[in-house]
Amino acid sequence: MHVIGTAGHVDHGKSTLVSALTGIDPDRLKEEKEREMTIDLGFAWLTLPSGDIVGIVDVPGHKDFIKNMLAGVGSIDAALFVVAADEGIMPQTREHLAILDLLGVNTGVVAITKKDLAESEDWLELVMAEVADELEGTCFENAPMIPVSARTGEGLSELIAELDRVLTTAQPRRVIGQPRLSIDRVFTIAGFGTIVTGTLLDGHLETGQEIEILPKGLRARIRGLQTHKEKRNVAMPNSRVAINLTGVNVTDLQRGDVITVPGWLAPTRLIDVRLHYLADAPKELKHNAALDFFCGAAQVPAIVRLLDQETLRPGQTGWAQLRLEEPTVMRKGDRFIVRLASPSLTVGGGTVVDTHPKRRHRRFRQEVIRHLETQADGSPEEILLQSLEAQQPCEARELIKRCGLAQATAVSSLNSLLQHKQILVLRNNGEGTDELPAAQSSSVLLISSTGWHRLLEQITSTLKAYHEQYPMRKGMPKEELKSKLHIATRIFNEIVSRAVQDGQIQEQGPWISLVDYRVVFNADTQRKVDELLKQFRKQPYSPPAFAECESAVGIETLNALLEDGTLVKVHNDVLFLAETYEEMISRIVEVIHKEGSITVAQVRDMFQASRKYALGLMEHLDEKKVTRRQGDVRVLR
C-alpha cells in the first residue's frame, strides 16, 4: 500500500484536484469551506488501474499553515506536486519543493492544474518550462508533468495512470517489523470514544492489541481499526489507519504522539543528525542557534550544536547534534525539517543518524565525525559493529533495534559478522554458541572480538594483581571481580562462562583465578605447613585448635589450606584434616545405620577425643543436614 501527499502554493487547486480524482472532499472543516482554503490536513483515497488503493494526504498551501503541511508529508511515499497554469511558480511552490527535497520524497508526478484557465497553449508551455527549470537539481527533476483541469476532467485519466506507474517503480519503504504510527489527528466519535489517525510505518497493528503511546508512556488497547473507512482486523504497513482506542481520553493525546508496541521505542531529547542548510536561507546558521524541529507529525523547539564547522553557510551540509526542548520519538534514518520561528521559514533538514547518543559531543573531534559518517553511510556490518562497540555486551534484539536496520538485513549482517569472528556470542542459557538463534527476539549477548579481547585483558590484569597481593588465596571471589568490572550479574556470569570455555580463566566454586595459577608456598612457609600437618596426623581426632594453627602458619596460609581442602573447618575452633574428616563421618554414619542413633558421648569415646571436638563435629553434621538432633541423640536425616 502507498500514501501520497499533495504539495504546492495556496489556491493552486490541490484540494479541488483531490476531489476530482477521488470523489472525496478533503476539506473537512467548516472554516475551510467558508474560506475556500485548506487549513489543516485532509484525507482521501483512490483505487488505481493496477488495483492498488492509495491514501492521499491533502496539505495546506498557505504560508501560515506550513506547520500543518509538515505534519502530513513526513510519511508519504510519493508527492502530487501542484502548480497552477494561470500563475506558475509562487513562493510556497518553492518552499514545498524544498521540503519534499529535504524529506527525500523523490517519487511523484507534477500536475499543472487549471489548464482550462491558461491564456493559450504557448502560455501553458511557458509555465511548464518554468516549472521544469525550478525542478532542475531537485528530487523532482525527472518527474513526469501532466496538464489537467479538475473542472473539465481533462488530463485526469493520464494523471491517474502516471501515478500508478511511478508508484509501481517506487522504492519500497523499509519495514522494521515493529509498528509505529505518528498521530496527525485526534478526535472523538459518540459511542466509540477516542479516535486517532496517521500513516502506519514499520509493522502491523491488530485489533485487541496493547499499544504504548509515546512520549507520555501511556498504555491503551486497540478497539477497532479502519483503513479508508473499511474495518480491518490487521492494519498493514504504509497505509493510512484510523484507530479506535480504549484506556485513554482524547485530552491525553496530541498531534505528534507516536503509537507503537510497549518497550520498543524510547523518547529522546538529544539526537545526532546530518543537516543540510538551504541555499536560499536568509543568513548563516550559528552554533547553538534555536530552530523549530519537525519529524513525523511532531514539532518541537531545538538548539543546534554544530560539530564540524564554526557556522553553516547557506547551501552547506554538516554534522550537528540537536538538543530538543521536549522528549520526541523517532527512528534512525528518519528525515526531518528545521525552520526559523521568526520569520517563519523553512531553512533546512536532513537525516537522523543516532536517536540516543551516549553523551554531548565535543566539537571538531575527528573520532566523533568518523563515527557519524559510519552510522550514516557505512555498510550494515559496519553500522552494527560500531553500534556494538559503543555499548557492549548487548542483546542481539537490542542491537538490531538500536541500529535502525531492516530486520532481515540486520540478521543477515550479524550472522556474517559472527561467521568472520568479528562478533562473538557469549553463553546463553548455559549453551555456548557462535550462531544467532531467533535473532528477531534473541536475548543472546553479543560482544565484538576487539571488545572481548579488551575485556579479557581487564579480567586477567585484575586477577594477576589480586594473585600478587594475596598469593595464599585460591582465587578472587566472584562477587569482588564482578564489582571491579562494574557488570550486571547476568552479563558477568556469561562472560565468565565464555572465558572458562575459551580456557582463559578457571572457576573453582566461588573463586576465579588465572588458568595457570596455583597457590605455591615458599620454603619457609612450606616448612611451617609440614610441621603443622604433622601435628594433625599425630593427633588426628584432637588436632591443634584454630588459634594454634593461625599462630603456627599465619592466617593467609591457614585460609589457603582451608580453601584448597587440605583442612576442613567444622566449628569456630575445630579443624580436621580432610581425610580424617571423611573417615569420622563414615564411621559415625555406619554406627547410626547399625544402632539407629548416636550421642555426642559415643562420638567422643569412639575417637578418644574431648567433648569439644565431638560436639563441634556433630553440630557441623546437623548444619550439613547429614544428621538431625532428637533430644540427646542424633539420627540420619
Side-chain angles (χ1 to χ4, degrees), residues 337-402:
I337 297 294
V338 288
R339 306 186 82 236
L340 294 175
S342 180
S344 182
L345 181 67
T346 300
V347 291
T351 306
V352 176
V353 174
D354 191 345
T355 58
H356 292 87
K358 297 302 174 187
R359 61 185 64 86
R360 178 176 163 178
H361 299 311
R362 297 182 66 178
R363 302 179 71 196
F364 308 114
R365 292 301 182 98
Q366 283 304 308
E367 64 270 22
V368 172
I369 303 307
R370 285 195 296 269
H371 168 80
L372 295 175
E373 287 172 346
T374 299
Q375 287 296 303
D377 303 320
S379 67
E381 287 82 3
E382 290 172 330
I383 292 169
L384 285 161
L385 189 57
Q386 186 183 79
S387 295
L388 180 60
E389 289 179 339
Q391 183 182 353
Q392 57 181 334
C394 178
E395 287 188 353
R397 60 189 171 194
E398 177 61 30
L399 179 62
I400 291 172
K401 181 170 72 173
R402 190 194 305 165

Side-chain angles (χ1 to χ4, degrees), residues 149-385:
S149 170
R151 187 177 66 84
T152 66
E154 187 178 359
L156 295 183
S157 59
E158 291 88 343
L159 178 60
I160 291 172
E162 202 58 49
L163 283 171
D164 199 5
R165 186 190 66 79
V166 298
L167 286 173
T168 302
T169 60
Q171 185 175 356
R173 189 186 291 269
R174 61 178 183 168
V175 177
I176 301 297
Q178 300 283 22
R180 175 171 59 126
L181 181 143
S182 187
I183 297 173
D184 52 35
R185 285 183 65 204
V186 183
F187 55 97
T188 184
I189 296 178
F192 291 91
T194 303
I195 309 290
V196 300
T197 69
T199 300
L200 178 60
L201 304 176
D202 296 339
H204 302 76
L205 288 175
E206 299 180 8
T207 302
Q209 182 177 1
E210 184 187 19
I211 54 95
E212 184 175 25
I213 303 165
L214 298 172
K216 301 179 181 70
L218 303 175
R219 295 293 179 94
R221 194 165 294 278
I222 297 176
R223 182 180 179 184
L225 293 166
Q226 283 191 2
T227 295
H228 310 319
K229 292 193 175 181
E230 290 187 3
K231 286 186 65 175
R232 301 290 175 98
N233 290 323
V234 178
M236 304 299 289
N238 306 329
S239 63
R240 289 291 306 173
V241 181
I243 309 174
N244 184 195
L245 295 174
T246 62
V248 289
N249 295 319
V250 68
T251 53
D252 296 330
L253 310 178
Q254 63 183 14
R255 175 176 284 177
D257 287 347
V258 172
I259 288 178
T260 184
V261 291
W264 180 49
L265 294 175
T268 181
R269 295 183 64 172
L270 189 68
I271 58 174
D272 294 338
V273 303
R274 175 183 277 163
L275 174 62
H276 177 67
Y277 200 51
L278 290 178
D280 58 357
K283 57 184 178 180
E284 65 183 19
L285 182 65
K286 295 182 179 180
H287 179 65
N288 283 333
L291 294 172
D292 286 336
F293 172 84
F294 298 81
C295 187
Q299 170 194 350
V300 59
I303 299 297
V304 182
R305 300 187 64 251
L306 300 176
L307 299 177
D308 60 344
Q309 299 181 59
E310 286 290 351
T311 62
L312 206 58
R313 294 191 298 275
Q316 286 188 320
T317 298
W319 297 107
Q321 192 169 55
L322 304 188
R323 189 171 73 250
L324 308 177
E325 189 173 292
E326 300 171 5
T328 310
V329 181
M330 66 200 80
R331 290 275 299 168
K332 176 187 173 182
D334 284 354
R335 297 290 190 123
F336 67 91
I337 297 294
V338 288
R339 306 186 82 236
L340 294 175
S342 180
S344 182
L345 181 67
T346 300
V347 291
T351 306
V352 176
V353 174
D354 191 345
T355 58
H356 292 87
K358 297 302 174 187
R359 61 185 64 86
R360 178 176 163 178
H361 299 311
R362 297 182 66 178
R363 302 179 71 196
F364 308 114
R365 292 301 182 98
Q366 283 304 308
E367 64 270 22
V368 172
I369 303 307
R370 285 195 296 269
H371 168 80
L372 295 175
E373 287 172 346
T374 299
Q375 287 296 303
D377 303 320
S379 67
E381 287 82 3
E382 290 172 330
I383 292 169
L384 285 161
L385 189 57

Side-chain angles (χ1 to χ4, degrees), residues 488-505:
T489 299
R490 181 218 165 181
I491 296 175
F492 174 77
N493 291 339
E494 296 195 12
I495 287 170
V496 169
S497 296
R498 177 86 196 204
V500 170
Q501 173 190 319
D502 289 356
Q504 301 292 330
I505 61 174

